[in-house]
Amino acid sequence: MRLESKLPEPEQGVDTRFLADWSGLTRGIPASLYRPRSVEEVSAILQHCNEQGRPVTIQGGLTGLAGGAVPADGDVAINLERMNAIEHIDELEGVMTVQAGATLLAVQEAAARAGWYFPIDLGARGSCQVGGNAATNAGGDRVVRYGTMRDSVLGVEAVLADGTVLSSLTRLVKNSAGLDLRFLFIGSEGTLGVITRLQLRLQPVPAPAVTAFAAAADTNALARLLRTLKRAPGVDLIAFEFMSGEFVRAGARLANQSCPLGDDYPWYVLIESAERRQDAGFSSLQQALEKTLEEGDILDCALSASLTDTEDFWRIRHSIPELMTELKPTVNFDCGLPWVEMEGFVDRVNAAMHERYPGATHLFFGHMGDNNIHLMSGPHRSEDMHDVEERVYAELRGRDGTISAEHGIGFIKKPYLGYTRNAAELAILRQLKAVFDPKNILNPGRVLD
Ligand SMILES: Cc1cc2nc3c(=O)[nH]c(=O)nc-3n(C[C@H](O)[C@H](O)[C@H](O)COP(=O)(O)OP(=O)(O)OC[C@H]3O[C@@H](n4cnc5c(N)ncnc54)[C@H](O)[C@@H]3O)c2cc1C
């Protein structure tokens, strides 16, 4: 469908907040910035850019860690922040229609007001946009229970490079009438179209969480604990966030917290189970943890006794912005690996990093239930960044892993895409790009060359 709309006026002078994301990458100053208010305006802008062959940078909340939303000199930047309406909530079925520029927090709050729950959650919730979450197929802290953004999106409306509005805004859970086009845009990082509207699947509000902090000797023990908790009767696991001892010690210091357990264990995990406490306040999670403690898979554990405890536990896990500031310039990894490969990966990478970069700090953490292990390493000189990346990605090769479990490829991880995707996959991805965007105006240079 083509929409008729007047091309809006671009803004004069681009504020510096539109020049970089959280990756720290900067590339230049766009020639113009548009902050459209409607899909009609997005369509008119893209039609104009396509005719002129102008490169377009698409921006959500600019919290990305792969540099995908960072504009280059002379680009046309389109930021979706003004298209932020929560348009409709079907309270009977739990479906939300929302414009792509709404922040994740606004979506969570609107769902809660309607008696539902939106399960995607991440530290950047106040700034990142649901369009950006869809474009990167964001994960976050609840994937172990609810899946990634892909599992929460029922329908997508997107504007293609030539201004065509492709509405695939179905709100049905099942639809086998041909290929499901929404999945082309989820995880496409702005290379196939501008996502303008989403139908989101809401969930029943979970029972209040029982929260625990546990310590373990290694990631193999954490994997066994995770398996136990997934199978434990009465435990409904909604978070399993593991952190190295170094991460917890540094995060607690920066968040002005004391570690909930002794602070000299090698590994920790923050666990949440959505369950109603049994009589006498005893929870299924507590029972399962006590058994695991006896068996020796965990070394110690503490249960949250209050909302304040729970917030304190999460403050340590969410100390990422403070850590990034303290350790900058950092290299941030977003690897994915089968559980069975994690211990070896951590040991080899840790040894390599400490040997080559003894003056830097190397912090491991992540979402084990989603196979996702992050490493934040820094500070590094810019001339060393490539070597740091090579050393870490070399350890992923041939191990059934991914170089990006949830942040996307953007610019920063593009040189390493071939470590994760085979030649046939890359060829199909290139062909798809050529079909959707033959003049290569949408986010050029991201994901693929
Ligand atoms: C403190 C912190 C914690 C984080 N934790 C997590 C985490 O737990 N899990 C996780 O997955 N990520 C996490 N991130 C990364 C980031 O928040 C996510 O990648 C998020 O989904 C990006 O959304 P955004 O709106 O900020 O997108 P941006 O950074 O603006 O853009 C990201 C990419 O999507 C494209 N894009 C944005 N909007 C659209 C649109 N409407 N249509 C088409 N393309 C678009 C951009 O061109 C770019 O390529 C974290 C970041 C920070 C700073």
Side-chain angles (χ1 to χ4, degrees), residues 134-260:
T136 54
N137 187 27
D141 303 334
R142 306 276 179 232
V143 177
V144 69
R145 171 70 171 79
Y146 297 101
T148 63
M149 189 69 178
R150 187 170 278 133
D151 300 287
S152 285
V153 174
L154 294 169
V156 170
E157 174 192 82
V159 184
L160 306 186
D162 66 356
T164 301
V165 178
L166 182 68
S167 178
S168 207
L169 269 181
T170 174
R171 37 164 304 165
L172 305 175
V173 172
K174 292 198 293 188
N175 185 356
S176 293
L179 273 183
D180 203 330
L181 295 176
R182 80 189 130 143
F183 291 133
L184 287 172
F185 296 96
I186 301 172
S188 67
E189 298 182 53
T191 58
L192 301 185
V194 179
I195 298 169
T196 45
R197 198 177 259 124
L198 295 161
Q199 298 275 26
L200 299 177
R201 180 211 297 251
L202 307 181
Q203 299 287 343
V205 179
V210 179
T211 311
F213 216 81
D218 52 45
T219 60
N220 284 335
L222 290 174
R224 287 193 300 274
L225 170 65
L226 178 52
R227 178 185 59 188
T228 302
L229 296 180
K230 281 187 159 206
R231 296 169 171 183
V235 173
D236 185 358
L237 204 59
I238 54 170
F240 192 91
E241 300 289 301
F242 72 124
M243 297 158 268
S244 66
E246 287 86 350
F247 180 101
V248 166
R249 289 182 278 279
R253 176 173 51 78
L254 291 174
N256 283 325
Q257 301 292 320
S258 52
C259 179

Side-chain angles (χ1 to χ4, degrees), residues 22 58 60-64 68 129 133 135-136 138-140 189-190 195 406 443:
W22 272 76
I58 306 161
L62 286 154
T63 68
Q129 300 175 5
N133 299 150
T136 54
E189 298 182 53
I195 298 169
E406 60 177 8
N443 273 2

Side-chain angles (χ1 to χ4, degrees), residues 330-411:
T330 56
V331 186
N332 297 298
F333 295 92
D334 173 35
C335 301
L337 278 165
W339 299 353
V340 68
E341 296 282 358
M342 278 198 190
E343 186 68 26
F345 174 77
V346 168
D347 285 349
R348 289 189 302 273
V349 169
N350 217 7
M353 286 294 115
H354 278 105
E355 190 195 329
R356 180 69 185 84
Y357 299 105
T361 302
H362 316 287
L363 304 176
F364 291 92
F365 60 103
H367 322 277
M368 182 171 262
D370 332 335
N371 306 104
N372 189 184
I373 181 160
H374 296 298
L375 165 63
M376 182 190 298
S377 179
H380 288 292
R381 300 179 312 167
S382 54
E383 56 269 37
D384 291 333
M385 300 270 185
H386 181 67
D387 178 67
V388 173
E389 288 168 336
E390 283 285 353
R391 282 169 196 268
V392 174
Y393 292 137
E395 296 300 340
L396 272 179
R397 275 193 141 160
R399 298 185 194 278
D400 227 359
T402 174
I403 60 163
S404 177
E406 60 177 8
H407 295 161
I409 298 298
F411 279 106

